[in-house]
Amino acid sequence: MFKSQGPVGLKRFSTAEATVAAAGKMREKTLTMETLNPHVKAVEYAVRGPIVTKAGEIERDLQEGGKQPFTEVIKANIGDAHAMGQQPITFLRQVVALCTFPELLDSPTFPEDAKKRARRILQGCGGTSLGSYTASQGVDFIRQDVASYIEQRDHGVPADWENVYLTTGASDGISILRMLVSGQGSSRTGVMIPIPQYPLYSAAITEMEAVQVNYYLDEDNCWALDINELHRAYQAAKQHCQPRVLCIINPGNPTGQVQSRKCIEEVLHFAYEENLFVMSDEVYQDNVYSPDCEFHSFKKVLYEMGPEYFNSVELASFHSTSKGYTGECGFRGGYMEVLNLDPDVRAQLIKLRSVQLCPPVSGQAAMDVIVNSPHPEEPSYARFHEEKNAVLGALAEKAKMTEQILNGVPGIRCNPVQGAMYAFPQILLPPKAVEEAKALGMHPDMLYCLRLLEETGICLVPGSGFGQREGTFHFRMTILPPKEKLKVLLDKVRDFHIKFLKEYATLEEQLR
Protein backbone atom coordinates (compact mmCIF):
# COMPACT_ATOMS: atom_id res chain seq x y z
CA MET A 1 0.00 0.00 0.00
CA PHE A 2 2.82 2.41 0.89
CA LYS A 3 4.67 1.57 -2.36
CA SER A 4 1.70 2.78 -4.39
CA GLN A 5 1.80 6.07 -2.51
CA GLY A 6 5.45 6.65 -3.39
CA PRO A 7 8.05 8.42 -1.26
CA VAL A 8 5.94 11.55 -0.85
CA GLY A 9 3.22 9.58 0.86
CA LEU A 10 5.76 7.94 3.13
CA LYS A 11 7.31 11.28 3.99
CA ARG A 12 3.94 12.80 4.85
CA PHE A 13 3.13 9.88 7.19
CA SER A 14 6.52 10.18 8.89
CA THR A 15 6.17 13.95 9.31
CA ALA A 16 2.69 13.63 10.81
CA GLU A 17 3.90 10.91 13.14
CA ALA A 18 6.85 13.03 14.20
CA THR A 19 4.56 16.01 14.84
CA VAL A 20 2.35 13.93 17.16
CA ALA A 21 5.39 12.52 18.92
CA ALA A 22 6.85 16.00 19.36
CA ALA A 23 3.61 17.16 20.94
CA GLY A 24 4.08 14.41 23.50
CA LYS A 25 0.65 12.84 23.15
CA MET A 26 -1.37 10.52 20.94
CA ARG A 27 -4.95 11.15 19.85
CA GLU A 28 -7.40 10.10 22.56
CA LYS A 29 -10.09 7.54 21.75
CA THR A 30 -13.59 8.93 21.40
CA LEU A 31 -15.29 5.79 22.71
CA THR A 32 -14.02 4.72 26.12
CA MET A 33 -15.59 3.11 29.17
CA GLU A 34 -16.10 6.63 30.49
CA THR A 35 -17.96 7.84 27.38
CA LEU A 36 -19.78 4.55 26.69
CA ASN A 37 -23.58 4.66 27.02
CA PRO A 38 -24.11 3.72 30.71
CA HIS A 39 -27.16 1.65 29.85
CA VAL A 40 -25.01 -0.56 27.61
CA LYS A 41 -22.59 -1.08 30.50
CA ALA A 42 -25.50 -2.05 32.73
CA VAL A 43 -26.75 -4.76 30.33
CA GLU A 44 -26.08 -8.32 31.51
CA TYR A 45 -26.68 -11.57 29.63
CA ALA A 46 -25.81 -14.54 31.82
CA VAL A 47 -26.34 -17.20 29.14
CA ARG A 48 -23.15 -15.96 27.44
CA GLY A 49 -21.56 -14.47 30.55
CA PRO A 50 -18.24 -14.95 32.39
CA ILE A 51 -18.74 -18.69 32.98
CA VAL A 52 -19.03 -19.25 29.24
CA THR A 53 -15.99 -17.06 28.60
CA LYS A 54 -14.02 -19.16 31.08
CA ALA A 55 -15.26 -22.36 29.40
CA GLY A 56 -13.93 -21.06 26.07
CA GLU A 57 -10.53 -20.40 27.63
CA ILE A 58 -10.39 -23.92 29.05
CA GLU A 59 -11.42 -25.40 25.69
CA ARG A 60 -8.60 -23.59 23.93
CA ASP A 61 -6.16 -24.76 26.57
CA LEU A 62 -7.22 -28.37 26.02
CA GLN A 63 -6.86 -27.99 22.26
CA GLU A 64 -3.32 -26.68 22.74
CA GLY A 65 -2.36 -29.69 24.87
CA GLY A 66 -2.98 -28.19 28.29
CA LYS A 67 -3.68 -30.43 31.27
CA GLN A 68 -7.09 -30.38 32.91
CA PRO A 69 -8.78 -32.91 35.24
CA PHE A 70 -11.13 -33.74 32.31
CA THR A 71 -10.83 -34.30 28.57
CA GLU A 72 -13.63 -32.06 27.28
CA VAL A 73 -15.86 -29.14 28.18
CA ILE A 74 -19.55 -30.05 28.10
CA LYS A 75 -21.56 -26.90 27.45
CA ALA A 76 -25.05 -27.13 28.87
CA ASN A 77 -25.45 -23.37 29.21
CA ILE A 78 -27.54 -22.54 26.14
CA GLY A 79 -30.45 -23.99 24.17
CA ASP A 80 -28.40 -24.57 21.00
CA ALA A 81 -29.76 -27.93 19.87
CA HIS A 82 -27.50 -28.65 16.88
CA ALA A 83 -24.35 -27.68 18.79
CA MET A 84 -25.39 -30.34 21.31
CA GLY A 85 -25.64 -33.00 18.60
CA GLN A 86 -29.31 -32.87 17.55
CA GLN A 87 -29.66 -33.72 13.86
CA PRO A 88 -31.50 -31.34 11.50
CA ILE A 89 -34.96 -32.19 10.19
CA THR A 90 -34.29 -33.48 6.67
CA PHE A 91 -37.26 -31.85 4.95
CA LEU A 92 -36.48 -28.39 6.32
CA ARG A 93 -32.87 -28.58 5.17
CA GLN A 94 -33.94 -29.89 1.76
CA VAL A 95 -36.28 -26.95 1.15
CA VAL A 96 -33.73 -24.36 2.29
CA ALA A 97 -30.98 -26.04 0.24
CA LEU A 98 -33.17 -25.93 -2.86
CA CYS A 99 -33.95 -22.26 -2.22
CA THR A 100 -30.27 -21.46 -1.75
CA PHE A 101 -29.06 -23.37 -4.82
CA PRO A 102 -32.00 -23.60 -7.25
CA GLU A 103 -30.00 -25.74 -9.72
CA LEU A 104 -30.76 -28.61 -7.31
CA LEU A 105 -34.41 -28.40 -8.37
CA ASP A 106 -33.42 -30.57 -11.35
CA SER A 107 -31.91 -33.24 -9.10
CA PRO A 108 -33.88 -36.50 -8.65
CA THR A 109 -32.40 -36.73 -5.13
CA PHE A 110 -34.91 -34.27 -3.69
CA PRO A 111 -38.60 -35.16 -3.14
CA GLU A 112 -41.26 -33.32 -5.11
CA ASP A 113 -42.97 -31.79 -2.07
CA ALA A 114 -39.68 -30.14 -1.06
CA LYS A 115 -39.22 -28.83 -4.62
CA LYS A 116 -42.79 -27.53 -4.68
CA ARG A 117 -42.25 -25.50 -1.50
CA ALA A 118 -38.89 -24.20 -2.68
CA ARG A 119 -40.32 -23.00 -6.00
CA ARG A 120 -43.13 -21.25 -4.17
CA ILE A 121 -40.73 -19.52 -1.78
CA LEU A 122 -38.46 -18.41 -4.63
CA GLN A 123 -41.43 -16.99 -6.52
CA GLY A 124 -42.05 -14.76 -3.51
CA CYS A 125 -38.50 -13.40 -3.64
CA GLY A 126 -37.28 -10.60 -5.89
CA GLY A 127 -35.48 -12.06 -8.89
CA THR A 128 -36.53 -15.50 -7.61
CA SER A 129 -33.46 -15.35 -5.37
CA LEU A 130 -33.09 -15.94 -1.65
CA GLY A 131 -30.44 -13.21 -1.75
CA SER A 132 -32.92 -10.41 -2.40
CA TYR A 133 -34.63 -8.21 0.18
CA THR A 134 -38.25 -8.99 0.99
CA ALA A 135 -40.98 -6.74 2.36
CA SER A 136 -40.04 -5.54 5.84
CA GLN A 137 -42.80 -7.62 7.44
CA GLY A 138 -41.64 -10.68 5.49
CA VAL A 139 -42.82 -12.53 2.38
CA ASP A 140 -46.60 -12.13 2.17
CA PHE A 141 -47.50 -15.75 1.49
CA ILE A 142 -45.23 -16.97 4.31
CA ARG A 143 -47.12 -14.63 6.64
CA GLN A 144 -50.32 -16.16 5.27
CA ASP A 145 -48.95 -19.64 5.97
CA VAL A 146 -48.16 -18.56 9.54
CA ALA A 147 -51.73 -17.31 9.97
CA SER A 148 -53.10 -20.64 8.69
CA TYR A 149 -50.81 -22.49 11.10
CA ILE A 150 -52.04 -20.40 14.04
CA GLU A 151 -55.67 -21.05 13.09
CA GLN A 152 -55.04 -24.79 12.92
CA ARG A 153 -53.05 -24.80 16.19
CA ASP A 154 -55.81 -22.90 17.97
CA HIS A 155 -58.62 -25.05 16.59
CA GLY A 156 -60.21 -22.46 14.34
CA VAL A 157 -59.53 -19.21 16.18
CA PRO A 158 -59.29 -16.66 13.33
CA ALA A 159 -55.86 -15.27 12.43
CA ASP A 160 -55.33 -12.26 10.15
CA TRP A 161 -52.05 -12.54 8.24
CA GLU A 162 -51.75 -8.74 8.30
CA ASN A 163 -51.13 -9.08 12.05
CA VAL A 164 -48.17 -11.40 11.44
CA TYR A 165 -44.61 -10.05 11.23
CA LEU A 166 -41.68 -12.30 10.35
CA THR A 167 -38.69 -11.62 12.60
CA THR A 168 -35.02 -12.38 13.08
CA GLY A 169 -35.68 -15.04 15.68
CA ALA A 170 -38.11 -14.36 18.50
CA SER A 171 -35.56 -12.03 20.15
CA ASP A 172 -36.05 -9.50 17.35
CA GLY A 173 -39.81 -9.55 17.83
CA ILE A 174 -39.46 -8.88 21.53
CA SER A 175 -37.88 -5.55 20.61
CA ILE A 176 -41.46 -4.32 20.09
CA LEU A 177 -40.99 -3.43 23.74
CA ARG A 178 -39.18 -0.31 22.51
CA MET A 179 -42.51 1.10 21.31
CA LEU A 180 -44.00 0.81 24.78
CA VAL A 181 -41.33 2.70 26.71
CA SER A 182 -42.19 6.33 27.49
CA GLY A 183 -42.65 8.81 30.32
CA GLN A 184 -40.33 10.11 33.00
CA GLY A 185 -40.03 9.55 36.74
CA SER A 186 -43.12 7.93 38.21
CA SER A 187 -44.76 7.83 34.76
CA ARG A 188 -41.88 5.84 33.22
CA THR A 189 -42.98 2.54 31.66
CA GLY A 190 -42.75 -0.46 33.96
CA VAL A 191 -42.32 -3.91 32.43
CA MET A 192 -43.48 -6.88 34.49
CA ILE A 193 -41.29 -9.95 34.00
CA PRO A 194 -41.25 -13.35 35.69
CA ILE A 195 -38.47 -14.21 38.11
CA PRO A 196 -36.65 -16.39 37.21
CA GLN A 197 -36.61 -14.94 33.68
CA TYR A 198 -34.75 -15.26 30.40
CA PRO A 199 -32.06 -12.51 30.59
CA LEU A 200 -33.04 -11.11 27.19
CA TYR A 201 -35.90 -9.32 28.96
CA SER A 202 -33.88 -7.68 31.72
CA ALA A 203 -31.20 -6.73 29.17
CA ALA A 204 -33.76 -5.09 26.85
CA ILE A 205 -35.41 -3.26 29.75
CA THR A 206 -32.05 -1.91 30.91
CA GLU A 207 -30.97 -0.82 27.43
CA MET A 208 -34.31 0.90 26.80
CA GLU A 209 -34.28 2.63 30.21
CA ALA A 210 -37.60 1.12 31.23
CA VAL A 211 -38.34 0.01 34.80
CA GLN A 212 -38.08 -3.69 35.58
CA VAL A 213 -40.97 -4.97 37.68
CA ASN A 214 -40.34 -8.46 39.08
CA TYR A 215 -43.06 -10.96 39.84
CA TYR A 216 -41.92 -14.24 41.35
CA LEU A 217 -42.96 -17.67 40.10
CA ASP A 218 -43.98 -20.19 42.77
CA GLU A 219 -41.14 -22.70 43.03
CA ASP A 220 -43.01 -24.77 45.62
CA ASN A 221 -45.85 -25.20 43.10
CA CYS A 222 -43.77 -26.26 40.09
CA TRP A 223 -42.99 -22.67 39.14
CA ALA A 224 -46.66 -21.79 38.65
CA LEU A 225 -47.71 -18.18 38.10
CA ASP A 226 -49.67 -16.94 41.11
CA ILE A 227 -52.21 -14.24 40.27
CA ASN A 228 -51.90 -12.79 43.79
CA GLU A 229 -48.18 -12.28 43.18
CA LEU A 230 -49.01 -10.37 39.99
CA HIS A 231 -51.29 -8.05 41.97
CA ARG A 232 -48.61 -7.56 44.65
CA ALA A 233 -45.92 -6.69 42.11
CA TYR A 234 -48.21 -4.35 40.18
CA GLN A 235 -49.34 -2.39 43.22
CA ALA A 236 -45.79 -2.07 44.55
CA ALA A 237 -44.50 -0.87 41.17
CA LYS A 238 -47.16 1.84 40.86
CA GLN A 239 -45.37 3.71 43.64
CA HIS A 240 -42.45 4.52 41.34
CA CYS A 241 -43.43 3.79 37.72
CA GLN A 242 -46.39 3.11 35.43
CA PRO A 243 -46.63 -0.62 34.64
CA ARG A 244 -47.71 -0.96 31.01
CA VAL A 245 -46.34 -4.33 29.90
CA LEU A 246 -46.74 -7.88 31.18
CA CYS A 247 -44.29 -10.50 29.87
CA ILE A 248 -44.99 -14.23 30.07
CA ILE A 249 -42.75 -17.14 29.02
CA ASN A 250 -44.77 -20.30 28.43
CA PRO A 251 -43.44 -22.98 28.49
CA GLY A 252 -40.96 -21.46 30.87
CA ASN A 253 -37.31 -20.56 30.42
CA PRO A 254 -35.35 -21.26 32.61
CA THR A 255 -37.94 -23.02 34.74
CA GLY A 256 -39.49 -25.56 32.36
CA GLN A 257 -43.07 -25.19 33.60
CA VAL A 258 -46.21 -25.27 31.42
CA GLN A 259 -48.90 -22.87 32.58
CA SER A 260 -52.43 -24.21 33.01
CA ARG A 261 -55.37 -22.83 31.06
CA LYS A 262 -56.91 -21.52 34.29
CA CYS A 263 -53.72 -19.63 35.09
CA ILE A 264 -53.59 -18.08 31.60
CA GLU A 265 -57.20 -16.94 31.88
CA GLU A 266 -56.48 -15.29 35.24
CA VAL A 267 -53.45 -13.54 33.78
CA LEU A 268 -55.41 -12.22 30.81
CA HIS A 269 -58.22 -11.01 33.06
CA PHE A 270 -55.61 -9.19 35.17
CA ALA A 271 -54.11 -7.60 32.03
CA TYR A 272 -57.58 -6.55 30.89
CA GLU A 273 -58.42 -4.95 34.24
CA GLU A 274 -55.10 -3.13 34.58
CA ASN A 275 -54.85 -2.13 30.90
CA LEU A 276 -51.55 -3.95 30.28
CA PHE A 277 -49.97 -4.87 26.95
CA VAL A 278 -49.26 -8.62 27.04
CA MET A 279 -46.12 -10.14 25.52
CA SER A 280 -46.36 -13.94 25.35
CA ASP A 281 -43.11 -15.76 24.57
CA GLU A 282 -44.28 -19.11 23.17
CA VAL A 283 -41.13 -20.36 21.42
CA TYR A 284 -41.29 -23.69 23.30
CA GLN A 285 -44.89 -24.45 22.33
CA ASP A 286 -43.89 -27.80 20.78
CA ASN A 287 -41.75 -28.73 23.80
CA VAL A 288 -44.28 -30.17 26.24
CA TYR A 289 -43.26 -33.47 27.86
CA SER A 290 -45.44 -34.04 30.91
CA PRO A 291 -48.56 -36.11 30.09
CA ASP A 292 -50.49 -33.96 32.56
CA CYS A 293 -49.69 -30.74 30.72
CA GLU A 294 -50.89 -29.14 27.50
CA PHE A 295 -49.79 -26.01 25.70
CA HIS A 296 -52.50 -23.34 25.51
CA SER A 297 -51.71 -20.25 23.48
CA PHE A 298 -52.59 -16.95 25.11
CA LYS A 299 -54.44 -16.00 21.94
CA LYS A 300 -56.70 -19.06 22.04
CA VAL A 301 -57.59 -18.53 25.70
CA LEU A 302 -58.21 -14.83 25.03
CA TYR A 303 -60.62 -15.77 22.23
CA GLU A 304 -62.46 -18.24 24.46
CA MET A 305 -62.93 -15.51 27.08
CA GLY A 306 -65.26 -13.71 24.68
CA PRO A 307 -65.31 -10.65 22.35
CA GLU A 308 -64.96 -8.14 25.19
CA TYR A 309 -61.49 -9.55 25.88
CA PHE A 310 -60.47 -10.79 22.42
CA ASN A 311 -61.21 -7.48 20.73
CA SER A 312 -59.51 -5.26 23.31
CA VAL A 313 -56.48 -6.83 25.05
CA GLU A 314 -53.30 -5.94 23.17
CA LEU A 315 -51.30 -9.15 22.76
CA ALA A 316 -48.02 -9.90 21.01
CA SER A 317 -47.03 -13.58 20.84
CA PHE A 318 -43.77 -15.00 19.54
CA HIS A 319 -42.45 -18.17 17.93
CA SER A 320 -39.09 -19.20 16.47
CA THR A 321 -37.20 -21.72 14.33
CA SER A 322 -34.62 -22.03 17.10
CA LYS A 323 -36.53 -24.25 19.52
CA GLY A 324 -39.30 -26.83 19.18
CA TYR A 325 -38.14 -29.95 17.34
CA THR A 326 -36.11 -28.20 14.62
CA GLY A 327 -33.54 -26.39 16.77
CA GLU A 328 -32.48 -24.20 13.82
CA CYS A 329 -30.93 -21.40 15.89
CA GLY A 330 -28.54 -20.22 13.18
CA PHE A 331 -31.24 -19.46 10.61
CA ARG A 332 -32.62 -16.74 12.90
CA GLY A 333 -36.19 -17.28 11.78
CA GLY A 334 -39.29 -16.35 13.73
CA TYR A 335 -42.57 -14.48 13.80
CA MET A 336 -44.77 -12.40 16.03
CA GLU A 337 -48.52 -11.98 15.88
CA VAL A 338 -49.82 -8.68 17.28
CA LEU A 339 -53.50 -8.27 18.17
CA ASN A 340 -55.58 -5.15 18.77
CA LEU A 341 -52.87 -2.65 17.88
CA ASP A 342 -54.04 0.91 17.33
CA PRO A 343 -53.99 1.51 13.53
CA ASP A 344 -51.73 4.57 13.84
CA VAL A 345 -49.36 2.64 16.11
CA ARG A 346 -49.36 -0.24 13.63
CA ALA A 347 -48.05 2.17 10.99
CA GLN A 348 -45.25 3.11 13.38
CA LEU A 349 -44.42 -0.57 13.92
CA ILE A 350 -44.15 -1.11 10.17
CA LYS A 351 -41.89 1.95 10.00
CA LEU A 352 -39.59 0.45 12.63
CA ARG A 353 -39.54 -2.90 10.82
CA SER A 354 -38.61 -1.03 7.63
CA VAL A 355 -35.52 0.46 9.27
CA GLN A 356 -34.16 -3.10 9.60
CA LEU A 357 -35.04 -3.78 5.92
CA CYS A 358 -36.15 -7.41 6.38
CA PRO A 359 -35.48 -10.59 8.40
CA PRO A 360 -33.02 -13.13 6.93
CA VAL A 361 -34.79 -14.69 3.97
CA SER A 362 -33.33 -18.14 4.65
CA GLY A 363 -34.86 -17.87 8.12
CA GLN A 364 -38.20 -16.93 6.58
CA ALA A 365 -37.98 -20.04 4.40
CA ALA A 366 -37.20 -22.21 7.43
CA MET A 367 -40.13 -20.72 9.31
CA ASP A 368 -42.40 -21.51 6.38
CA VAL A 369 -41.43 -25.19 6.51
CA ILE A 370 -42.30 -25.33 10.22
CA VAL A 371 -45.76 -23.81 9.71
CA ASN A 372 -46.34 -25.64 6.40
CA SER A 373 -44.93 -29.10 7.08
CA PRO A 374 -45.57 -32.14 4.80
CA HIS A 375 -49.18 -33.28 4.47
CA PRO A 376 -50.24 -36.94 4.85
CA GLU A 377 -50.52 -37.45 1.07
CA GLU A 378 -47.02 -36.06 0.37
CA PRO A 379 -43.87 -38.21 0.00
CA SER A 380 -41.93 -36.57 2.86
CA TYR A 381 -44.71 -36.91 5.44
CA ALA A 382 -43.62 -40.21 7.04
CA ARG A 383 -39.96 -39.30 7.39
CA PHE A 384 -40.74 -35.80 8.64
CA HIS A 385 -42.98 -37.05 11.44
CA GLU A 386 -40.63 -39.88 12.31
CA GLU A 387 -37.79 -37.38 12.81
CA LYS A 388 -40.01 -34.88 14.66
CA ASN A 389 -41.35 -37.52 17.05
CA ALA A 390 -37.86 -38.91 17.64
CA VAL A 391 -36.55 -35.49 18.71
CA LEU A 392 -39.47 -34.72 21.01
CA GLY A 393 -39.52 -38.26 22.41
CA ALA A 394 -35.81 -38.10 23.25
CA LEU A 395 -36.26 -34.71 24.93
CA ALA A 396 -39.11 -36.10 27.04
CA GLU A 397 -36.90 -39.01 28.18
CA LYS A 398 -34.05 -36.67 29.03
CA ALA A 399 -36.37 -34.32 30.92
CA LYS A 400 -37.50 -37.18 33.15
CA MET A 401 -33.97 -38.53 33.61
CA THR A 402 -32.67 -35.09 34.58
CA GLU A 403 -35.37 -34.60 37.20
CA GLN A 404 -34.85 -38.08 38.69
CA ILE A 405 -31.05 -37.95 38.92
CA LEU A 406 -30.92 -34.42 40.34
CA ASN A 407 -33.56 -35.19 42.95
CA GLY A 408 -31.44 -38.16 44.08
CA VAL A 409 -28.60 -35.83 45.09
CA PRO A 410 -28.54 -34.57 48.70
CA GLY A 411 -28.91 -30.80 48.70
CA ILE A 412 -30.46 -30.50 45.23
CA ARG A 413 -34.19 -30.11 44.56
CA CYS A 414 -35.48 -30.12 40.98
CA ASN A 415 -39.05 -29.48 39.89
CA PRO A 416 -40.44 -31.62 37.04
CA VAL A 417 -39.24 -30.45 33.63
CA GLN A 418 -42.72 -30.19 32.12
CA GLY A 419 -41.57 -28.46 28.95
CA ALA A 420 -38.97 -26.24 27.20
CA MET A 421 -35.33 -27.42 27.26
CA TYR A 422 -34.00 -26.69 30.74
CA ALA A 423 -33.89 -27.72 34.37
CA PHE A 424 -33.54 -25.05 37.05
CA PRO A 425 -32.81 -26.94 40.27
CA GLN A 426 -32.36 -25.31 43.65
CA ILE A 427 -29.01 -26.09 45.28
CA LEU A 428 -28.16 -26.04 48.97
CA LEU A 429 -25.06 -23.92 49.52
CA PRO A 430 -23.56 -24.02 53.02
CA PRO A 431 -23.00 -20.70 54.84
CA LYS A 432 -19.23 -21.14 54.57
CA ALA A 433 -19.47 -21.25 50.75
CA VAL A 434 -21.79 -18.24 50.71
CA GLU A 435 -19.36 -16.25 52.85
CA GLU A 436 -16.41 -17.21 50.64
CA ALA A 437 -18.28 -16.10 47.51
CA LYS A 438 -19.15 -12.75 49.05
CA ALA A 439 -15.53 -12.25 50.06
CA LEU A 440 -14.59 -12.84 46.41
CA GLY A 441 -17.23 -10.35 45.25
CA MET A 442 -19.39 -12.87 43.40
CA HIS A 443 -22.77 -14.52 43.76
CA PRO A 444 -22.62 -17.82 45.66
CA ASP A 445 -24.05 -19.82 42.75
CA MET A 446 -21.46 -18.19 40.46
CA LEU A 447 -18.73 -19.59 42.74
CA TYR A 448 -20.45 -22.99 42.58
CA CYS A 449 -20.71 -23.01 38.78
CA LEU A 450 -17.15 -21.74 38.38
CA ARG A 451 -15.80 -24.50 40.61
CA LEU A 452 -17.94 -27.04 38.76
CA LEU A 453 -16.47 -25.90 35.44
CA GLU A 454 -12.87 -25.89 36.65
CA GLU A 455 -13.11 -29.31 38.28
CA THR A 456 -15.37 -31.22 35.88
CA GLY A 457 -15.53 -29.30 32.59
CA ILE A 458 -19.31 -28.87 32.96
CA CYS A 459 -20.55 -25.42 31.86
CA LEU A 460 -23.84 -24.36 33.49
CA VAL A 461 -25.35 -20.93 34.17
CA PRO A 462 -25.76 -19.68 37.76
CA GLY A 463 -29.33 -18.95 38.80
CA SER A 464 -28.39 -15.41 39.80
CA GLY A 465 -28.18 -14.61 36.08
CA PHE A 466 -31.92 -15.29 35.76
CA GLY A 467 -33.12 -13.88 39.07
CA GLN A 468 -34.23 -15.84 42.11
CA ARG A 469 -35.73 -15.24 45.54
CA GLU A 470 -33.33 -13.84 48.09
CA GLY A 471 -31.47 -16.59 49.93
CA THR A 472 -32.06 -19.27 47.30
CA PHE A 473 -29.51 -20.55 44.78
CA HIS A 474 -29.95 -22.37 41.49
CA PHE A 475 -28.32 -23.24 38.21
CA ARG A 476 -29.80 -23.63 34.76
CA MET A 477 -28.81 -26.54 32.56
CA THR A 478 -30.11 -27.58 29.18
CA ILE A 479 -31.32 -31.15 28.60
CA LEU A 480 -30.13 -31.05 24.98
CA PRO A 481 -26.92 -33.18 25.08
CA PRO A 482 -27.29 -36.77 23.77
CA LYS A 483 -28.69 -39.08 26.44
CA GLU A 484 -25.37 -40.81 27.13
CA LYS A 485 -23.50 -37.51 27.48
CA LEU A 486 -26.31 -36.01 29.57
CA LYS A 487 -26.03 -39.00 31.94
CA VAL A 488 -22.29 -38.35 32.26
CA LEU A 489 -22.98 -34.67 32.90
CA LEU A 490 -25.56 -35.40 35.60
CA ASP A 491 -23.31 -37.98 37.29
CA LYS A 492 -20.49 -35.42 37.36
CA VAL A 493 -22.79 -32.79 38.84
CA ARG A 494 -23.89 -35.28 41.52
CA ASP A 495 -20.32 -36.22 42.45
CA PHE A 496 -19.19 -32.59 42.45
CA HIS A 497 -22.10 -31.47 44.63
CA ILE A 498 -21.43 -34.16 47.24
CA LYS A 499 -17.74 -33.18 47.27
CA PHE A 500 -18.66 -29.49 47.50
CA LEU A 501 -20.88 -30.15 50.52
CA LYS A 502 -18.15 -32.16 52.25
CA GLU A 503 -15.73 -29.29 51.71
CA TYR A 504 -17.97 -26.48 52.95
CA ALA A 505 -20.74 -27.98 55.13
CA THR A 506 -20.80 -29.33 58.64
CA LEU A 507 -21.98 -32.92 59.07
CA GLU A 508 -25.36 -31.62 60.31
CA GLU A 509 -25.74 -29.44 57.18
CA GLN A 510 -24.85 -32.36 54.92
CA LEU A 511 -27.58 -34.53 56.47
CA ARG A 512 -30.38 -32.00 56.02
Side-chain angles (χ1 to χ4, degrees):
M1 181 176 175
F2 284 122
K3 287 181 180 178
S4 66
Q5 288 181 328
V8 175
L10 283 172
K11 184 177 180 180
R12 282 177 182 166
F13 179 80
S14 300
T15 302
E17 190 175 46
T19 301
V20 171
K25 63 178 182 179
M26 295 295 288
R27 179 184 179 275
E28 293 182 356
K29 292 189 181 297
T30 301
L31 182 60
T32 67
M33 288 303 292
E34 287 69 36
T35 60
L36 181 68
N37 184 330
H39 300 289
V40 172
K41 284 193 279 189
V43 167
E44 294 184 359
Y45 189 63
V47 174
R48 292 179 182 257
I51 291 284
V52 183
T53 302
K54 181 69 174 179
E57 293 171 359
I58 294 173
E59 268 190 320
R60 286 190 293 275
D61 181 61
L62 284 171
Q63 291 165 2
E64 294 167 2
K67 299 298 181 184
Q68 298 286 348
F70 44 84
T71 57
E72 68 171 334
V73 173
I74 302 178
K75 291 183 177 178
N77 61 293
I78 194 167
D80 191 352
H82 292 192
M84 293 288 102
Q86 180 178 311
Q87 294 303 300
I89 298 295
T90 302
F91 185 74
L92 186 150
R93 286 298 183 91
Q94 286 174 331
V95 173
V96 177
L98 289 163
C99 290
T100 306
F101 193 61
E103 286 86 345
L104 293 173
L105 288 164
D106 297 325
S107 170
T109 306
F110 291 81
E112 284 304 316
D113 48 353
K115 292 180 180 180
K116 179 181 177 181
R117 281 166 177 74
R119 290 189 184 100
R120 182 168 174 257
I121 290 169
L122 289 172
Q123 286 168 5
C125 299
T128 64
S129 171
L130 214 61
S132 60
Y133 288 129
T134 70
S136 299
Q137 301 101 303
V139 174
D140 282 355
F141 77 78
I142 297 179
R143 296 165 65 203
Q144 291 162 7
D145 287 348
V146 170
S148 297
Y149 163 83
I150 292 170
E151 283 193 7
Q152 184 177 12
R153 180 199 67 190
D154 292 342
H155 308 293
V157 176
D160 183 349
W161 70 273
E162 296 277 15
N163 292 332
V164 173
Y165 304 80
L166 301 183
T167 58
T168 307
S171 304
D172 173 41
I174 288 164
S175 66
I176 192 176
L177 185 61
R178 181 174 288 106
M179 300 184 67
L180 290 143
V181 178
S182 64
Q184 298 295 329
S186 60
S187 67
R188 190 66 173 169
T189 294
V191 182
M192 302 182 71
I193 62 172
I195 298 295
Q197 54 102 21
Y198 179 49
L200 166 67
Y201 290 94
S202 55
I205 290 167
T206 299
E207 186 179 0
M208 296 173 193
E209 302 181 62
V211 180
Q212 180 172 318
V213 178
N214 297 339
Y215 66 89
Y216 290 88
L217 301 177
D218 185 358
E219 184 170 11
D220 293 332
N221 191 21
C222 207
W223 298 112
L225 198 166
D226 181 2
I227 193 67
N228 293 322
E229 170 62 11
L230 277 184
H231 282 287
R232 180 209 63 78
Y234 178 83
Q235 293 301 328
K238 284 184 70 176
Q239 305 304 311
H240 61 273
C241 69
Q242 180 56 57
R244 291 191 179 93
V245 187
L246 173 60
C247 299
I248 312 286
I249 309 172
N250 181 49
N253 175 11
T255 44
Q257 87 285 6
V258 179
Q259 300 294 358
S260 69
R261 190 198 177 287
K262 178 177 180 294
C263 170
I264 294 171
E265 184 169 332
E266 289 176 342
V267 169
L268 288 169
H269 179 74
F270 169 77
Y272 173 84
E273 291 293 327
E274 304 298 351
N275 203 30
L276 297 173
F277 189 107
V278 180
M279 295 175 60
S280 181
D281 185 337
E282 299 175 342
V283 300
Y284 299 101
Q285 59 189 258
D286 288 309
N287 301 103
V288 177
Y289 314 124
S290 172
D292 300 324
C293 296
E294 180 183 354
F295 170 74
H296 300 277
S297 77
F298 268 65
K299 179 188 178 181
K300 179 173 180 287
V301 176
L302 187 64
Y303 179 81
E304 292 168 347
M305 291 172 70
E308 183 180 358
Y309 291 87
F310 187 66
N311 295 327
S312 63
V313 174
E314 295 148 288
L315 169 67
S317 52
F318 310 93
H319 197 15
S320 168
T321 63
S322 302
K323 309 304 176 186
Y325 55 90
T326 57
E328 293 284 8
C329 302
F331 278 123
R332 308 309 299 133
Y335 73 76
M336 65 176 173
E337 183 187 24
V338 188
L339 303 182
N340 297 316
L341 208 57
D342 179 279
D344 292 335
V345 173
R346 182 176 179 276
Q348 296 297 312
L349 174 58
I350 293 172
K351 178 183 72 176
L352 282 184
R353 303 304 302 167
S354 300
V355 171
Q356 297 174 295
L357 295 178
C358 71
V361 187
S362 56
Q364 295 186 47
M367 193 75 247
D368 191 58
V369 176
I370 292 172
V371 300
N372 186 22
S373 60
H375 305 144
E377 69 278 5
E378 292 183 309
S380 298
Y381 179 83
R383 183 175 183 181
F384 177 88
H385 282 275
E386 180 183 350
E387 292 176 352
K388 174 182 175 180
N389 293 336
V391 169
L392 295 176
L395 285 169
E397 285 182 26
K398 291 186 288 186
K400 192 66 177 174
M401 181 178 76
T402 300
E403 174 198 344
Q404 290 174 340
I405 292 178
L406 290 177
N407 279 329
V409 182
I412 295 183
R413 181 166 65 90
C414 183
N415 273 318
V417 183
Q418 297 174 333
M421 298 176 172
Y422 316 96
F424 196 70
Q426 184 173 156
I427 50 177
L428 169 68
L429 296 185
K432 183 180 175 183
V434 174
E435 290 165 9
E436 180 176 317
K438 289 180 178 177
L440 292 170
M442 63 176 69
H443 291 287
D445 46 17
M446 172 67 84
L447 172 67
Y448 180 93
C449 288
L450 187 60
R451 286 278 305 273
L452 175 69
L453 172 64
E454 292 173 339
E455 296 179 26
T456 70
I458 306 282
C459 180
L460 308 179
V461 189
S464 50
F466 300 88
Q468 53 198 352
R469 282 196 180 275
E470 186 72 26
T472 66
F473 309 105
H474 302 77
F475 61 75
R476 189 192 80 162
M477 60 166 285
T478 176
I479 61 171
L480 287 172
K483 189 174 181 180
E484 300 74 22
K485 184 169 283 191
L486 182 62
K487 178 67 163 59
V488 170
L489 183 156
L490 291 166
D491 288 344
K492 284 189 172 186
V493 169
R494 178 196 60 211
D495 295 344
F496 169 81
H497 189 80
I498 292 170
K499 176 175 173 289
F500 190 89
L501 286 183
K502 286 180 179 177
E503 179 180 347
Y504 286 100
T506 65
L507 180 61
E508 181 182 353
E509 289 169 338
Q510 293 178 45
L511 294 174
R512 283 179 188 168

